[in-house]
Structure formats: structure tokens, C-alpha cells
Amino acid sequence: MKIDTRELRGFFYSQYFSDGIRTTLGILLPALVLSFLGKFDQGVLISVGALCVSVVDTPGPVIYKRNAMAVCCLCIFLTALATGFARLNVYTLGAAIAILTFVFSMLAVYGTRAAAIGTGSLLMMILMIENSSPAGEVFRYSLIVTAGGVWYLLFSILFFTLRPYRAAQQALGESIMDIVKFLKVKADFYQADTDIDENYSKLVSQQIQVSQHQDAVREQLFKSRVMVRESTNAGRVLVLIFIDLVDLYEQILATHYDYGQLRNKFGASGILTEISELLYKMAQELENTGFAVLSNRRRHDVHDFIPELEQLKIRIDTEAEAGNLVLKKILINLRDLAENIRHISNYYNSKSSKVLTRASPDVEYSKFVTHQDYAPQVYLDNLSFSSASFRHAVRVSLACIIGFVISRLFVHGHHSYWVLLTIVVILKPGFSLSRQRNYQRLIGTICGGLVGVSLLLLIHNKDVLFIVLIVLMIATYSFIRLNYVVAVIFTTPYVLILFKFLGVGQLSLVEERVIDTIIGSAIAFAAIYLILPRWEFEDIKEHVAKLIYANTNYLAKIAETLAGKPVDEVDYKLARKDVYVKSGNVSAMFERMATEPKSKQRKLKELHRFIVLSHILSSYLANLASDIFAKKLHNARAENIRLIRKSITILNDDSRKLGGKTIDFAPGKTELPPDKSELTPDEALLKEQLGFVNKISYDIDKVTNEIMV
């Protein structure tokens, strides 16, 4: 098997590996230092507190990470106290488990970072259950583990203080790599042997990755005053590269054509293959820039695509067919794409003064990020069976009670808390992710158990075993967000070796861990089916309506400009961002639904068709917006205004039928100007584009009616 060395090196430069090293050091150092001082037990407790708080140390602005970890420290202190006293009686412990699992699982209403606080707190609860400290030691124990959490908070913040831009730079580099993959999928449309429908599925799947990663980068850059307000070059360059990168992504989306018709017309000439190969070269050039950003190195070998574009122009000009206008459009798009890729490369390699002269400090970047409402009323409003978060919290609470009872009655090992740990880790709000985690946890634990046994049998030198432990820890925390099953494979031998150092390293521990994991997985699997299940089809109309509204709003911005009303470019970009986010949400919902039981897969084919049509519509809207700004198209003819108003009316009706919002658009133009008898070339092209948008709107209307049935 051929190993991609660049991909391997990219992993070691990535934020995943950096996070793995930081988390490992933050957890391991207290135990190591205090063991040398003869206080190993206290060191282990501090490491336990650090482990719980490390769950919250996910990518994002430093101030948000700091606040979340501080709240988590408070939560683990209260949880340790409550569980420490409740465990003295089996009934009070059962009640504490039920209450704490519900309360902390409900934190998901405040977003993923708050959900991580809940997970860290539940981890503290689970680890406290089997603690044998007497009642008089509970307060002291709680203080020590909380000190571990505070230690990790300070240690993590120190990392970002020393290198404030590195995490954002890594995230930006990874986002560039996502767009590279997206561009390669687009290039495949020009290959004769590519199945168009299957490639659309790949495109939709990759679009989800791009959208999610761009949201993460947007949060890190635009929610950080360090990046957008200070006068140093490093942070500003990252912001400006990201802005250009989003524009580049829009341009790639805007290059949509009828690929079946293209193949019929020009497939035999071989020119489509040349276009595909050129797109792959551009993707490679963008990948080189992405790798440079990721590895924090300058580039000195920026590729010049002008000769290849000129050669392609000659090939297009020699085409005998009169209908090669579409090829000329593709050539123009390729030129623009090459120019934008060159701009991004130049941005990264530019001098400070050059970058700062093009910076715009007055741009309201905060408009481009979502702001979470942390009001207590949000929590209270979700205490209803109509809330997915409430259902999830009830499900986790009941599953943990069942797991607790089974572990007390039937599991006689010393680490029966692994049953509860498995349940908490596996159960997620959605069926799809819960089932995936269940499968990954089982496979990872079994494979990891075999690896752990092999390591314990083969390695007897404690120094070598300790080095292996560190490697396994780094791998675990590096892959925890990247590939969960790989992370679990590394976690099991890491835990086994850790217990070996703690003096309980019998091989029977492997059997105990596997059995507990199987029991926890079985309970979690039953819970996602039987306890207040939430299926994706229940939310299909809501998500589809939001995407239709986003596209309608984007189209309305275009219509306002064409009607002569000035629209700020920021408003365009906000509307565009909303389309991409909502499109990613619907696509992700489709992928999750596809993994649910067949009986719960409602309107799957219709939803896939809707996603493809929505992608085509947003591509044409992006193309229209680009032309409007490039050609300064204003005061369009009334027939074009009527055409665009028809499309808005159709989409508004679809959104209204689904219970969504509508856009009010009334340009006021109803008659043709009497002084014009013929369309200009730009007006003719605009009419053709709007006609296609109108056709796609009708197609969306048809599939929306099918989804509603």
C-alpha cells in the first residue's frame, strides 16, 4: 500500500497532533512531578481532574476555551462533592446518577462546548463512583481534582499565549485541504468514466466537511480580537487569506454546467479531459499553499498557469462546433480560479506592509459568526418532550440508571464504572452518531485489547513501557476528534499499561474491559431505539424550509441590485454564508438519515434530489452575484425583474408550505422600458441565467411537494 508522505507530514503539523501533545502533557505532568516528590497519590488525583477538564479543550477562541474550562472546574468540584457523599448509600448514588446525567446532558442546548462541559463533569461522576475515600476525605478529594482542572486550564492557556496564531493557522491550512478535495471532486465531472449522480453524492458529502471546517475557522478568527483588531501582520494575514478562501470556494461552486450535455458535445474531442487535468493541477497548487500554511513555511515555487491556459484557449478556438461558447465560459472560470489561487499564495508570502494596506479593520467580522445565548431561560424552554436535547437527556439518564443497576447486580469486576463510561461516551442526541460510536467503541476496544495484551506480554522493561504509554496517550488524544475508532484502539492498551503501573495490570483486566464495554454498548444500543428516539425525518421539513429561505434571501439580494437598490457586499456575503451553512445542515441530515433503519428513511430519494437541485441553484446564484459585481449590472429590464420575481414567489410558496419564513420583494418595475427594442449581450446573458434559475425553482417546487406528501 502506497503511503502519502505529505498527508502523513500534514498530520504531524495539524492541530490534532498539537492537541494530542498538549493534552498528554497536561494530564501526565502532575502525576510525574508529584511521584518524584513522593506524593504519587495526589499526583494521580490532579491528573484525574486535568483529564476531566481536557474534554473541554476543543478548538476555538482562547477566551471561550478559558471560560468553558473555568466553568468545567466548578462543575467537577460540585460533581465530586455530590457523588462522593451520594456513593455512601446505593439509593442516594442511584438518584445522584439519574439527576447528574440529566442535568449535564441537557447542557447540549447551549452548543458543543457546553456539551463538552457536561461530558467532563459526567466523567468526574463516573470516576468518583468507585472511589473508596471515607466521607471525611470527600471535600479534600474534590479540592485536589479541581486543582488538577485549574492546572490544566493554566497549562492550556500558556500554550496559546506562547503561540497565539498557531491554532488558527492550522485550522486554516486544514480548511484549504478540504477545498482541495472539493475541487478534485468538481474536476471529476469532466472525466468521461465518472458517474455524475455518484459524483454529486461525493460533492455533497465533501461540501459538509468544507462547511463545518469553515465554521470552525470562522469562529477562531472572527471571534478573536487578537486576529482582527491588532496591528501585527500574522493574525491579519490569516483573516485575509480566509476571506479570499471563502470567495474561492464560491467561485468553485459557481462553475456549474450540464455535465451530461458537455460530454455529449465535446467528449470525443478530449478537451474535457484536459480541463479536468488542469483543475487537478490547480488543486495541487492550492494543496501546496495549504501545506505551507499548515507547516508554517513560506513558498518559493508558485506555479504559473498562463501557458497552460493559453494552450487550452487554442484548443477551444480550434473546436469546429459553433456551440463552444460554454467552453469559453469554462476557460474564463479557470482563469479566474488560477488568479484567485495565486492571490492566496501571494497573501501568505507577502510582506507586512503590503498586507496591512489591503486590510479592512472596520469590517464587522462578528456578523459572520453565530452567537450562543447562554440565558437560563434557554435551558428551561427546552424542558419539553418536543426538544431533542430533553429527549437525549432523559435517554442518557435512564440508560445510566439501567447500567448502574446491572453493574451492581451482575458485574463483579473492580472497574464496573466502565459500563457507565461506555454509555455516556456512546449516547449522542442523534441515532446515526450513537450507532456509529457504538460500533467504533466495540471494534476499537476489542482490537485495542489485543494490542494491549501483546504489548504487556512482549515488553517487560518499565522504561520502554513508559515510552510506549506516552506514545499511546498522544495517539489517543490526537485521533479523538479525527478518527474515533483509531482513538479507541490506542486508548485500550494505554489504559491497560496505565493500570500496570498502578499495580493492577493483570491480563484479566482486558477481559473485564471488553465485557463491560459490550454491556454498556448493548444498553446504549437499546436506548437509542427504545427510549424517546428522535429520527431525522421528523425535522426534514424544518431544515428544507430553512435552506429554501436562505436561497430565496440570496436571490432577493441579487434582485434588489438588479432593480437599482444598492446592496452592501457584506450583505451578499452574509446571505451566501447562510446558504452554505443551511445546505451543509440538510446534506448532513441526509447522510444521517441514510444510516437509520429502513423504516425510518422517509423521502430519502426526494431529499437527495432536493439537495442536488439546491446545490445547482446556489451555484447559479453565486455565478449571478459574481457577474453583477464584475459588470456592475443595475437597473435591469422589467422582463428580467419579472423573471426573478417569479422565482422568488415560487420559493416563497415552498417555504410557506413547509412552515418556514418568506422574503418580501417588490421592485416596482412591471413594464418594459419603451426606449429599448433589443437586448444587449449582457442583458441577454442575464435573461438566460435568470431563466435557468426560474426552471430550477420550478423543479425545487415539484420535489418540495413530493417531500410534503
Side-chain angles (χ1 to χ4, degrees), residues 323-490:
N324 68 351
L325 178 61
V326 66
L327 294 180
K328 293 180 178 179
K329 287 182 181 179
I330 292 173
L331 178 62
I332 293 171
N333 287 328
L334 289 174
R335 282 174 172 163
D336 292 340
L337 191 61
E339 184 70 9
N340 282 347
I341 291 173
R342 186 179 66 82
H343 281 161
I344 291 174
S345 297
N346 289 341
Y347 253 144
Y348 187 65
N349 291 317
S350 61
K351 302 285 186 181
S352 304
S353 58
K354 292 182 181 178
V355 174
L356 291 175
T357 54
R358 293 188 61 186
S360 6
D362 296 328
V363 174
E364 295 185 54
Y365 294 113
S366 60
K367 289 183 177 180
F368 291 88
V369 292
T370 55
H371 299 277
Q372 180 64 55
D373 183 4
Y374 291 103
Q377 192 61 38
V378 175
Y379 194 100
L380 298 175
D381 288 344
N382 276 274
L383 296 177
S384 163
F385 284 102
S386 61
S387 167
S389 298
F390 179 80
R391 290 186 178 190
H392 168 65
V394 171
R395 190 182 308 124
V396 174
S397 182
L398 292 177
C400 283
I401 286 296
I402 294 169
F404 173 68
V405 171
I406 290 176
S407 66
R408 289 291 165 141
L409 294 178
F410 304 106
V411 180
H412 302 293
H414 297 289
H415 308 93
S416 57
Y417 61 83
W418 280 338
V419 174
L420 289 180
L421 182 61
T422 301
I423 293 170
V424 168
V425 168
I426 286 176
L427 279 181
K428 300 298 176 186
F431 172 88
S432 176
L433 184 56
S434 295
R435 191 178 79 163
Q436 183 185 40
R437 280 291 176 94
N438 204 326
Y439 167 79
Q440 292 172 335
R441 186 84 181 180
L442 276 173
I443 297 300
T445 300
I446 293 170
C447 294
L450 294 174
V451 173
V453 170
S454 302
L455 290 172
L456 290 173
L457 289 175
L458 294 173
I459 303 173
H460 302 288
N461 185 294
K462 286 191 174 182
D463 293 335
V464 175
L465 208 57
F466 182 71
I467 293 172
V468 172
L469 172 66
I470 294 175
V471 172
L472 290 172
M473 286 184 72
I474 293 173
T476 294
Y477 298 118
S478 296
F479 282 99
I480 197 71
R481 289 185 293 106
L482 184 62
N483 191 316
Y484 185 72
V485 69
V486 174
V488 177
I489 290 173
F490 284 115

Side-chain angles (χ1 to χ4, degrees), residues 3-11 177 284 287-288 291:
I3 299 176
D4 188 339
T5 56
R6 168 168 283 192
E7 189 171 339
L8 185 62
R9 284 185 294 153
F11 168 74
M177 295 303 189
Q284 182 63 44
E287 184 177 8
N288 291 338
F291 186 76

Side-chain angles (χ1 to χ4, degrees), residues 6 179-194 199 202 272-288 303 305 308 334 337 341:
R6 168 168 283 192
I179 293 179
V180 167
K181 294 176 184 176
F182 188 83
L183 181 56
K184 288 179 179 178
V185 176
K186 291 283 283 187
D188 288 338
F189 279 114
Y190 297 94
Q191 296 284 355
D193 57 347
T194 299
N199 211 50
K202 290 181 182 178
L272 296 182
T273 303
E274 292 183 30
I275 292 172
S276 177
E277 290 173 352
L278 186 54
L279 280 170
Y280 262 93
K281 288 181 180 178
M282 291 181 179
Q284 182 63 44
E285 175 66 13
L286 186 60
E287 184 177 8
N288 291 338
H303 186 78
F305 286 100
E308 289 148 299
L334 289 174
L337 191 61
I341 291 173

Side-chain angles (χ1 to χ4, degrees), residues 124-139:
M124 184 72 259
M125 178 198 76
I126 292 167
L127 294 175
M128 193 68 184
I129 287 174
E130 298 296 330
N131 186 271
S132 57
S133 301
E137 290 290 314
V138 170
F139 187 77

